[in-house]
Amino acid sequence: MNGQRELYVCLYAKEFPAQAMLRLRPEIREKVVVVMEGEPPFQTVCSMNGKAHRMGVECGMTRVEVDIFDSVTFLMRSMPEEAAARTALLECAGTFSPRVEDQSDRGEFLCVIDIEGIEKLFGVPQAIAQNLLQRMRALGVIASVAVSSNFHTAICHARARPTQTAIIAQGNETLALAPLPIAVLDLSEEHTATFTSWGICTLGALAELPENELVARLGQEGKRLRQLARGELPHLFVSMETEFRLQERIELDAPVELLESLLFVVGVMLEQLILRATSRVLAMASVTIALTLEGGESHVRTVRPALPNNDRQLWIKLIHLDLEAHPPQAAIVSLVLTAESGNTSKVQLGLFSPQLPEPMRLDVTLARIRAIVGEDCVGRAVLTDTHRLDSFRMEPFTISSPQTSYLMLARSSESDKSPAAGRQLRSIEKVVVTLRRLQPIAFEFRNRRYQVECAYGPWLTCGEWWNPMLWNEEQWDLIARADDGDLFCCCLVRDLVQSSWQMVALYD
Amino acid sequence: MPSALTIRLQIEAALADRIPSALTPGPRILRPMMPTGIDSVDELLGGGLPVGALTEMIGAECTGRTSLALSFAAQITRVEKVCAWVDVSNALSPESAAACGVDLARLLWVRCGVASAKQGPQHSESFTLPEKYRVPPTVKKGLHGGGMGSHPRGEAKGMDDAVSGLLRPAVMTARCAESQRNVRAENEVFKPIAREQFTSEPILRSSGASGHGRPWSRIEQALKVTDLLLQAGGFAAIVLDMASIAPEHALRIPLATWFRYRAAAERTQASVLLLTQYACSKSSAGLVLRLTSKDPLNEGTTVLAGFNRRVEVSRQRFAQVSAGPEKVVSIRKPPQRAGIATWRSETAWVGRR
């Protein structure tokens, strides 16, 4: 157009509704699959796989007509799944070039990629085409590729030869298009009838027609069709923004209640997500699984390991444990997997660095432990800034990278002393306290009677008087001895709000 | 002149049928140790607690097991290794751990037997205005301005009792001029309040899950968690805190469990610490320490200063024998180790003296 060299790759996938459905259902790919659309009982065939096509199934057939064929698997068309598959393919195309134009029609996927100037990165057009096809196959879609310097030539050729890879050299467009049928041009019914009456069946024949006479009979549309057939029609490339969003969606054929059956589907979806993340040298940092349940409710869970990773087995295990701990309340109708990408984790090992748990393995271990003891009972404790007794919060346990500067301080603070530790009694236990002049002199705890030898206190503490969580306590550190002479050291608290005694800690 | 080596070989060859390799000292296996951070204990144990073995600390409540274990955990986190604390009774105090020098970010704390619903503030008290202080509802009246209440004939019931209650003997005697029998007022005697009366209030606040009740589910959880942590590997120490579990429950754990832990600890080179009240692990333990309580420190008069602790080695499987040929049996009885150490355990709030 402006004198610059142009080069386009057209990527075409026919029977896209069927391909999009079979992409996440590898178990039925080898069967005869027909995709229906419409409201029952007026369902018609909108797409099918190759086997169904060879058996004689055609688009527009009704359910009754298809039923005469043996062992046909019926699927209902799912627009969300198609949209998700289309996004995945476009995003894959976007990894080759930022200039991608989507030309998809109702039942097909078609996009054109401007590959001018990317030879240094991806090699010659032949290599790019092969690479693209390989990536499509990995995504579970069978596609065809045509490379041409003319935008429309590439489209026409890809549509006409959906099983071949064609590289059309510059200047050879007319010759390459000549044997193709005129049906690839999306003609209107009127024009199709006209060309049929003229005996024009191929693009070559159309290209041979004289321009002025054609314009006189068909108007400017005639000129456009002739230019298309000759491979000379210019095109203003409108590139779209390919969105990088790691999302996969599947609508289940029947409601699923068993977790194991669901995980089989999740495994396939994760494989696709990992493939897409890997192609951009990324790893998955978190996966959100949104389940749509029977009755319209939704159940959303997010799994976030310590480090981004692309290990499928690990992800399946983590999702499994999470869903086991938080099971959905009804059968599952559809699910959406959305992943957040992160940088691929690099672990720098050192000869003198201490041995630490492997992050990936630790994630699974922690998830398993959470399943045993409960969600908030595993992690590291963080002290809160308050005077209240036993106030802390739990945070997820992560391993920070070691700093070798501390290694030399290993035995720096050794001495013949150690701080005394307390054991917190978090469940309320019965204690009977005997007072004399407001000081405890004896108490009975766990069916044993103790005489107080020394009582330190009372230490008064109060706070948060401005809200209902106020506390006002009187603490006593007691050294007591049981009847049999055993020493017992404890912290006894008198709640001044409720005027009750409670054993809160033992010094051990 | 034959060299010393030749002579030694000749002697060994001559004695080979009776004493194989008589003059060659046996190979010594140096077992790695991790210091506890308390000099006297480390000296007693020959460097610290064994790495890759099961160590059991036995003792009653308040004998210093937790202090010793936390001191050990502090040493581990100080060298930037990670430690796991499997808390069967949910009794670990993070404040105490931090005071002992444990880096809480490197301590994985697993709290067993805590229902997730019980998280959050434990002393949640809410204040609501009693109904009687609210705006009273409009009084409904019957047809003739009465009704909708108790019947008038019931109003006089119990009036006799009420009046006699008002006319107590003391009130009556004060007004009466005639002489009265002198009734001695009983002295108020201080007695410990009966348990049933006193405990009514605290019991109301308990939410059912008593920590002293059935511990089986908690123990089972803890054993499973310890198994998982040992399998995962990478933890320098795993503390299984059963210090508050009664011996009759702890002893019901099958011995195979401890044997499995010992093997796993050896494989992953983790120190497994077991805090109990009674020896459970038997022969699987590499080291058994028995802690007993001594007197508290009486230096402080206003605050609790700390305690004197005493530890005794009950069993040490791989004691480091002093240098010398092990096969040579001395005629004299070799010097025995004392096997007892003491240390001071000071509270965090006591200043330096």
Side-chain angles (χ1 to χ4, degrees):
Chain A
M1 285 194 297
N2 50 6
Q4 284 186 347
R5 193 168 163 259
E6 294 174 34
L7 198 59
Y8 299 102
V9 173
C10 176
L11 189 64
Y12 175 72
K14 67 170 189 175
E15 300 292 352
F16 192 63
Q19 292 216 52
M21 301 289 281
L22 291 176
R23 205 175 132 247
L24 299 176
R25 294 171 176 83
E27 72 280 4
I28 56 167
R29 274 185 201 161
E30 302 304 317
K31 294 181 180 171
V32 180
V33 179
V34 168
V35 179
M36 313 289 287
E37 67 176 348
E39 291 294 318
F42 305 109
Q43 290 169 318
T44 52
V45 176
C46 74
S47 183
M48 72 208 83
N49 67 350
K51 282 196 172 175
H53 192 72
R54 280 193 289 279
M55 280 176 69
V57 182
E58 288 178 3
C59 283
M61 279 184 165
T62 59
R63 175 87 187 222
V64 179
E65 287 172 321
V66 182
D67 274 340
I68 60 171
F69 299 100
D70 285 337
S71 60
V72 176
T73 307
F74 290 95
L75 293 175
M76 280 307 294
R77 187 175 184 180
S78 165
M79 297 310 280
E81 269 190 59
E82 270 180 53
R86 183 170 287 116
T87 311
L89 297 192
L90 284 172
E91 179 240 303
C92 174
T95 56
F96 286 84
S97 164
R99 281 167 60 80
V100 178
E101 184 171 336
D102 187 16
Q103 290 274 327
S104 297
D105 201 1
R106 195 167 165 271
E108 62 183 19
F109 171 80
L110 200 153
C111 78
V112 182
I113 312 163
D114 184 0
I115 59 165
E116 177 55 42
I118 64 165
E119 290 89 349
K120 284 185 180 174
L121 275 175
F122 295 100
V124 293
Q126 185 77 32
I128 293 171
Q130 288 302 326
N131 199 350
L132 201 53
L133 281 179
Q134 208 173 347
R135 297 277 288 277
M136 289 292 129
R137 220 170 292 130
L139 286 173
V141 172
I142 298 163
S144 68
V145 166
V147 182
S148 170
S149 56
N150 183 269
F151 183 89
H152 297 287
T153 307
I155 291 178
C156 291
H157 211 283
R159 269 187 180 154
R161 299 273 187 271
T163 53
Q164 295 177 2
T165 303
I167 312 289
I168 301 162
Q170 194 170 14
N172 278 356
E173 287 88 0
T174 316
L175 271 177
L177 290 174
L180 305 184
I182 57 167
V184 297
L185 292 182
D186 278 339
L187 297 173
S188 62
E189 280 186 17
E190 185 192 347
H191 288 151
T192 311
T194 309
F195 286 131
T196 311
S197 64
W198 292 350
I200 305 290
C201 302
T202 60
L203 294 182
L206 178 59
E208 291 294 320
L209 292 176
E211 187 179 357
N212 290 342
E213 283 76 0
L214 193 63
V215 172
R217 283 162 181 79
L218 297 179
Q220 285 301 310
E221 182 63 13
K223 184 186 176 185
R224 193 185 74 85
L225 292 173
R226 186 173 176 274
Q227 280 182 321
L228 269 176
R230 294 175 68 85
E232 291 171 355
L233 184 69
H235 176 76
L236 178 64
F237 197 91
V238 183
S239 67
M240 59 173 290
E241 198 74 36
T242 52
E243 186 190 10
F244 178 62
R245 191 172 182 211
L246 291 173
Q247 191 177 64
E248 289 291 346
R249 173 189 292 272
I250 192 166
E251 293 186 9
L252 303 170
D253 309 329
V256 170
E257 285 182 351
L258 288 175
L259 191 57
E260 282 72 24
S261 321
L262 184 77
L263 287 173
F264 183 75
V265 181
V266 169
V268 178
M269 295 168 86
L270 278 173
E271 199 175 347
Q272 290 293 324
L273 289 176
I274 289 167
L275 194 75
R276 288 162 64 185
T278 316
S279 70
R280 294 198 177 228
V281 202
L282 290 172
M284 295 199 297
S286 76
V287 169
T288 304
I289 180 163
L291 307 172
T292 310
L293 308 179
E294 236 176 2
E297 287 183 12
S298 62
H299 181 79
V300 182
R301 297 293 311 162
T302 301
V303 179
R304 188 184 294 274
L307 285 176
N309 68 87
N310 280 335
D311 187 350
R312 178 168 156 261
Q313 293 300 330
L314 174 79
W315 278 110
I316 291 178
K317 194 73 219 172
L318 288 175
I319 291 174
H320 183 189
L321 289 168
D322 192 76
L323 287 179
E324 252 184 359
H326 307 274
Q329 297 303 313
I332 299 148
V333 177
S334 71
L335 71 148
V336 181
L337 235 63
T338 313
E340 268 179 40
S341 58
N343 288 328
T344 46
S345 51
K346 294 178 280 296
V347 179
Q348 177 67 53
L349 299 173
L351 190 60
F352 301 106
S353 59
Q355 185 193 9
L356 294 173
E358 195 186 334
M360 311 295 172
R361 208 166 168 191
L362 182 66
D363 280 328
V364 177
T365 307
L366 290 179
R368 282 177 193 270
I369 293 173
R370 270 196 293 274
I372 295 172
V373 296
E375 191 69 28
D376 300 322
C377 299
V378 188
R380 61 192 174 104
V382 178
L383 297 176
T384 48
D385 187 13
T386 171
H387 288 292
R388 187 170 194 150
L389 277 177
D390 194 30
S391 54
F392 64 92
R393 65 173 194 276
M394 296 293 280
E395 283 190 359
F397 184 74
T398 50
I399 295 172
S400 50
S401 58
Q403 297 167 0
T404 47
S405 58
Y406 284 99
L407 281 173
M408 304 308 291
L409 302 172
R411 290 175 63 90
S412 61
S413 64
E414 279 192 13
S415 68
D416 223 7
K417 296 175 186 172
S418 79
R423 292 179 68 79
Q424 212 73 33
L425 299 179
R426 295 194 172 90
S427 56
I428 291 159
E429 292 186 48
K430 196 164 60 181
V431 58
V432 181
V433 185
T434 309
L435 299 175
R436 179 181 295 158
R437 290 179 192 146
L438 295 175
Q439 276 205 4
I441 54 159
F443 60 91
E444 195 173 328
F445 181 64
R446 291 179 184 168
N447 299 325
R448 288 182 83 180
R449 187 156 182 85
Y450 297 91
Q451 296 295 329
V452 176
E453 286 188 349
C454 205
Y456 300 97
W459 315 115
L460 299 173
T461 168
C462 67
E464 292 190 37
W465 44 265
W466 52 89
N467 68 22
M469 307 292 297
L470 84 164
W471 84 90
N472 190 1
E473 289 169 346
E474 186 183 288
Q475 288 179 33
W476 289 88
D477 290 327
L478 303 181
I479 296 174
R481 215 168 268 281
D483 297 336
D484 55 2
D486 281 354
L487 191 73
F488 191 80
C489 311
C490 60
C491 178
L492 205 62
V493 158
R494 183 179 172 208
D495 190 339
L496 295 176
V497 178
Q498 299 203 349
S499 188
S500 62
W501 287 90
Q502 194 186 332
M503 187 72 78
V504 291
L506 305 180
Y507 292 108
D508 187 22
Chain B
M1 184 71 186
S3 68
L5 183 66
T6 319
I7 294 170
R8 199 174 108 183
L9 286 173
Q10 283 173 351
I11 293 170
E12 279 196 349
L15 295 173
D17 52 342
R18 281 182 288 172
I19 309 165
S21 59
L23 299 182
T24 310
R28 287 188 70 195
I29 301 169
L30 287 174
R31 297 191 180 268
M33 297 281 187
M34 188 74 199
T36 59
I38 303 166
D39 279 346
S40 55
V41 178
D42 288 345
E43 196 180 333
L44 171 71
L45 302 175
L49 302 184
V51 173
L54 185 69
T55 303
E56 192 170 2
M57 295 182 185
I58 312 164
E61 300 269 22
C62 308
T63 48
R65 296 160 301 170
T66 314
S67 302
L68 187 55
L70 280 176
S71 178
F72 179 64
Q75 292 298 314
I76 284 172
T77 56
R78 197 165 286 148
V79 292
E80 306 213 325
K81 293 181 180 177
V82 289
C83 180
W85 194 285
V86 184
D87 201 351
V88 182
S89 311
N90 185 25
L92 178 70
S93 166
E95 290 168 21
S96 290
C100 288
V102 177
D103 181 3
L104 291 178
R106 295 183 177 275
L107 181 77
L108 172 67
W109 183 20
V110 183
R111 307 160 67 197
C112 300
V114 184
S116 57
K118 283 182 70 184
Q119 289 303 302
Q122 294 177 358
H123 306 278
S124 60
E125 292 142 10
S126 58
F127 174 76
T128 51
L129 199 65
E131 275 300 320
K132 59 182 179 179
Y133 296 120
R134 293 177 187 272
V135 177
T138 52
V139 180
K140 292 179 183 175
K141 290 191 173 179
L143 281 175
H144 310 291
M148 302 302 287
S150 59
H151 197 275
R153 71 169 168 264
E155 282 179 5
K157 280 187 179 174
M159 186 64 79
D160 297 341
D161 294 338
V163 170
S164 63
L166 286 171
L167 302 174
R168 285 174 297 169
V171 178
M172 297 294 288
T173 49
R175 290 181 181 177
C176 191
E178 61 191 6
S179 62
Q180 293 285 319
R181 193 161 53 91
N182 193 10
V183 182
R184 279 182 62 192
E186 285 185 12
N187 288 335
E188 204 168 348
V189 180
F190 183 82
K191 282 181 188 172
I193 305 166
R195 200 185 309 158
E196 290 75 17
Q197 293 168 14
F198 199 88
T199 55
S200 59
E201 202 163 2
I203 289 295
L204 279 177
R205 284 177 57 193
S206 72
S207 49
S210 168
H212 212 55
R214 292 158 289 168
W216 265 109
S217 62
R218 287 183 282 139
I219 294 175
E220 199 179 339
Q221 282 180 359
L223 294 178
K224 279 183 190 170
V225 168
T226 312
D227 254 332
L228 285 171
L229 290 171
L230 279 169
Q231 280 169 22
F235 286 92
I238 297 169
V239 183
L240 180 55
D241 183 356
M242 297 204 303
S244 301
I245 299 294
E248 62 263 29
H249 297 299
L251 279 172
R252 286 176 65 182
I253 299 169
L255 286 176
T257 308
W258 309 121
F259 184 75
R260 198 170 65 243
Y261 287 174
R262 186 191 67 81
E266 204 172 333
R267 198 173 57 246
T268 57
Q269 286 297 295
S271 302
V272 179
L273 252 70
L274 182 60
L275 311 187
T276 52
Q277 295 189 359
Y278 188 79
C280 307
S281 57
K282 308 295 179 195
S283 62
S284 298
L287 173 69
V288 178
L289 300 177
R290 186 175 295 279
L291 287 95
T292 43
S293 56
K294 280 188 76 181
D295 297 331
L297 296 175
N298 287 322
E299 297 167 5
T301 53
T302 51
V303 291
L304 178 65
F307 315 93
N308 285 312
R309 307 291 196 192
R310 181 174 180 274
V311 62
E312 183 186 351
V313 179
S314 280
R315 170 192 162 86
Q316 197 168 12
R317 195 171 180 199
F318 303 109
Q320 303 282 353
V321 181
S322 57
E326 292 171 24
K327 292 185 178 174
V328 179
V329 180
S330 172
I331 298 170
R332 293 177 183 170
K333 186 182 177 184
Q336 298 295 305
R337 296 173 72 87
I340 293 172
T342 56
W343 82 96
R344 286 156 60 95
S345 176
E346 291 186 348
T347 48
W349 48 82
V350 172
R352 190 178 292 274
R353 287 170 187 275

